Amino acid sequence: MNNETHHDSTENQIERNAVLVGVQLPGTEQAPIGMYLDELKGLAETASYIPLLSITQNMTTPNSKTFLGSGKVDELEKAVKFHNAKTVIFDDRLSPAQNRNLETALKCRVIDRPWLILEIFSDHAKTREAKTQVELARLKYALPRLTKMWGHLSRQRGGIGMKDVGETQIQLDRRLIRDRISKLEKKLSQIDREKQTQRKSRIASFKVALVGYTNAGKSTLMNQLTEAGALTEDKLFATLDATIRKIKKNFPYPTLVSDTVGLIDKLPHDLIASFKSTLDEARDSDLLLKVVDIGHPNFRNHIKTTDNLLQEMGLSESPAIQVFNKIDQIEDAEFLLDIRGRYPEAVFLSGKKGVGLEELRQSITNSFEKRLTTLRANLSYNDSDTMNKIRKLALIVDEKYTEEGLSITVKAPIETKSRILKLIGSSSTNNNSSAKTSI
Ligand SMILES: Nc1nc2c(ncn2[C@@H]2O[C@H](COP(=O)(O)OP(=O)(O)OP(=O)(O)O)[C@@H](O)[C@H]2O)c(=O)[nH]1
Ligand SMILES: [Mg+2]
């Protein structure tokens, strides 16, 4: 064992020794590679790797066969040997061919950022839905990359047993994986249908979804706004399952808040798609709270990444409030003033310290009220059926019991207004009551 490794070298720890690799490509859009590698290091540690060193290369375009140039591959191979690393983790997505060629050249396991994220997801998934989504995404990702060296699918829970397999075995495994993929897809669409039914039953509440970069503080805010007791941790991708809770009682409208999976840079499209049904909560909401950690040196990029991903999900036009979290970490008042100037509509708060929550509530209420219309109607006393239907579509803000019947005032989202008017109309013809509406 050499003395240069930074960690104790018990058998188990050596297994987790890793080297990180990133390339700096030209273009101003991209943040410096050092930032990405810091993030990759955080991801690697979350997945229990021990990152020993990072290697970078400036390139105009990645090499189609080995991603890095051949000289750099040699250098990397020496570093792997010297540090006794078992895994090399690339910051960018590798093609199946690049993945295979690199494993051959480096004589060790090679993974990329998407796969690393999937390993974390796999560790953190708790519900049936999240587990199914993760397994499906992993199998789809692994299928074209299946080689003799890919013993690591079996290493993880729920693995499919491919340690040191031969070519015939690989063919067999491919078939098994394809079968499993189609089973999982069926299961997921079943879960999706169940969720849609649940969503329909929640129509009478407003829905707010917390979205944003991983570790921004979404779950912490969720806990402040509701009585959720959601898991908050200083680790990446603590939350994988969409939790939905009622907002605390002192809020003027019945509102459900949902916490969603965190977003991250360089997350491939197909991986996002595999979390479609979790993110459907965001799609189904009336308002997005886009949470960003203002204390993070790269927070501007986090805002950009979040906006880009929301756009890919078709949510860029949804009503949203930009929420700058963790203001307790900012000592520079001028910096804060500058950001406030740039985002006049945003809310600045500290979820952890409970500062600025009232301002957020006010901002949420304002957003709702822009989209509400007030309707009044009289219903006859024997028309509880219509009342129940209205209750599902609108918020009953006042009920008065008069001689003519029940006089109600409701606030309804503009979208459901015509359905309510129809209901009131039909109730007056059926029951001969005097339904009056005013807007
Ligand atoms: N200083 C400070 N820390 C905060 C604040 N809000 C959250 N944190 C911390 O930031 C870390 C991440 O918080 P979470 O609420 O788990 O973040 P998240 O956005 O849900 O993260 P994922 O579920 O991983 O996407 C935790 O250690 C929190 O305690 C804040 O206002 N100030
Ligand atoms: Mg969370």
Side-chain angles (χ1 to χ4, degrees):
M1 188 53 350
N2 60 61
N3 297 324
E4 277 71 16
T5 46
H6 313 311
H7 300 269
D8 293 340
S9 32
T10 64
E11 192 71 10
N12 235 346
Q13 277 173 322
I14 293 173
E15 281 304 311
R16 306 307 287 171
N17 281 353
V19 175
L20 310 181
V21 183
V23 299
Q24 178 77 60
L25 297 167
T28 45
E29 274 290 288
Q30 223 190 5
I33 187 65
M35 289 243 189
Y36 286 117
L37 284 175
D38 281 348
E39 188 172 81
L40 189 70
K41 184 163 177 276
L43 288 167
E45 284 167 350
T46 306
S48 320
Y49 288 100
I50 304 166
L52 300 173
L53 79 157
S54 304
I55 287 181
T56 58
Q57 181 172 31
N58 291 320
M59 305 183 89
T60 37
T61 44
N63 181 301
S64 65
K65 294 204 175 74
T66 50
F67 201 83
L68 302 171
S70 59
K72 207 68 182 179
V73 174
D74 288 345
E75 186 188 325
L76 185 56
E77 193 216 336
K78 289 195 182 79
V80 165
K81 218 184 265 164
F82 185 74
H83 289 280
N84 201 7
K86 303 295 179 201
T87 309
V88 172
I89 308 175
F90 276 74
D91 191 47
D92 291 279
R93 182 181 199 147
L94 299 170
S95 72
Q98 287 167 334
N99 212 146
R100 272 194 298 274
N101 295 336
L102 282 164
E103 289 197 336
T104 310
L106 301 172
K107 300 177 203 69
C108 76
R109 200 182 151 224
V110 173
I111 63 171
D112 55 13
R113 179 189 274 244
W115 182 263
L116 181 62
I117 292 172
L118 282 173
E119 284 191 358
I120 299 173
F121 280 9
S122 173
D123 279 341
H124 295 179
K126 292 200 182 59
T127 62
R128 183 169 68 113
E129 180 181 26
K131 283 184 181 153
T132 312
Q133 283 173 333
V134 176
E135 193 187 347
L136 184 60
R138 295 186 80 202
L139 291 178
K140 281 187 174 168
Y141 208 75
L143 189 58
R145 290 172 168 75
L146 217 53
T147 67
K148 278 188 218 171
M149 304 198 64
W150 273 68
H152 45 293
L153 264 186
S154 55
R155 193 180 55 77
Q156 299 270 330
R157 287 141 304 285
I160 38 179
M162 288 192 293
K163 210 153 211 146
D164 228 358
V165 289
E167 285 303 322
T168 335
Q169 188 62 38
I170 289 172
Q171 295 304 329
L172 191 68
D173 283 334
R174 283 222 173 96
R175 221 187 56 222
L176 285 175
I177 291 176
R178 278 198 205 96
D179 287 352
R180 181 85 186 133
I181 285 177
S182 73
K183 269 210 192 88
L184 290 170
E185 277 172 341
K186 276 192 200 117
K187 191 167 159 191
L188 212 53
S189 55
Q190 173 61 30
I191 297 175
D192 218 25
R193 276 195 296 277
E194 288 167 24
K195 288 215 132 181
Q196 270 174 23
T197 317
Q198 283 171 16
R199 272 199 285 275
K200 274 192 197 130
S201 71
R202 296 197 294 255
I203 200 156
S205 300
F206 275 113
K207 278 153 281 178
V208 175
L210 292 153
V211 295
Y213 216 75
T214 178
N215 214 44
K218 299 175 294 298
S219 300
T220 306
L221 201 51
M222 170 89 174
N223 288 344
Q224 289 281 8
L225 292 172
T226 70
E227 273 140 27
L231 174 74
T232 67
E233 264 180 287
D234 192 12
K235 72 178 189 190
L236 304 166
F237 300 112
T239 309
L240 274 193
D241 313 294
T243 7
I244 301 163
R245 294 285 182 280
K246 276 189 195 143
I247 208 161
K248 278 184 184 158
K249 287 194 184 66
N250 54 353
F251 200 72
Y253 304 108
T255 301
L256 296 171
V257 185
S258 67
D259 188 10
T260 60
V261 59
L263 306 171
I264 197 164
D265 254 321
K266 303 191 182 183
L267 193 65
H269 290 228
D270 48 357
L271 238 172
I272 301 167
S274 69
F275 282 81
K276 176 195 156 293
S277 76
T278 308
L279 290 163
D280 272 350
E281 290 308 333
R283 195 169 285 119
D284 185 51
S285 67
D286 302 291
L287 178 66
L288 300 175
L289 301 183
K290 299 195 286 181
V291 186
V292 65
D293 171 2
I294 195 176
H296 196 287
N298 208 12
F299 81 93
R300 287 185 182 81
N301 243 54
H302 294 180
I303 295 178
K304 227 191 276 169
T305 301
T306 304
D307 285 342
N308 288 345
L309 291 176
L310 288 175
Q311 188 172 14
E312 279 178 33
M313 291 187 264
L315 293 176
S316 52
E317 301 297 317
S318 305
I321 300 173
Q322 180 70 54
V323 177
F324 287 94
N325 188 30
K326 308 199 190 180
I327 53 163
D328 57 292
Q329 292 192 325
I330 307 296
E331 281 164 12
D332 184 348
E334 227 166 88
F335 164 77
L336 207 55
L337 215 60
D338 175 49
I339 305 295
R340 276 184 192 272
R342 285 168 206 265
Y343 293 87
E345 305 283 321
V347 177
F348 291 74
L349 52 77
S350 165
K352 195 167 172 178
K353 307 259 179 240
V355 174
L357 293 176
E358 206 32 60
E359 197 191 336
L360 179 64
R361 286 164 185 279
Q362 197 52 54
S363 191
I364 296 173
T365 314
N366 291 348
S367 158
F368 288 170
E369 286 181 346
K370 270 191 215 146
R371 309 170 55 213
L372 283 179
T373 174
T374 305
L375 303 169
R376 288 187 195 84
N378 289 324
L379 301 175
S380 82
Y381 281 123
N382 57 18
D383 199 7
S384 57
D385 193 35
T386 304
M387 183 68 176
N388 285 339
K389 283 183 185 151
I390 292 176
R391 226 184 264 284
K392 289 211 173 97
L393 295 171
L395 315 168
I396 315 283
V397 290
D398 193 35
E399 294 178 36
K400 275 200 189 73
Y401 296 86
T402 65
E403 279 181 13
E404 294 98 69
L406 183 56
S407 161
I408 57 169
T409 307
V410 304
K411 285 195 176 186
I414 293 162
E415 298 85 336
T416 57
K417 186 175 129 187
S418 63
R419 283 167 70 187
I420 295 169
L421 288 177
K422 219 188 236 166
L423 270 175
I424 299 169
S426 74
S427 101
S428 68
T429 41
N430 289 348
N431 302 302
N432 217 11
S433 74
S434 56
K436 272 184 251 135
T437 62
S438 54
I439 299 153

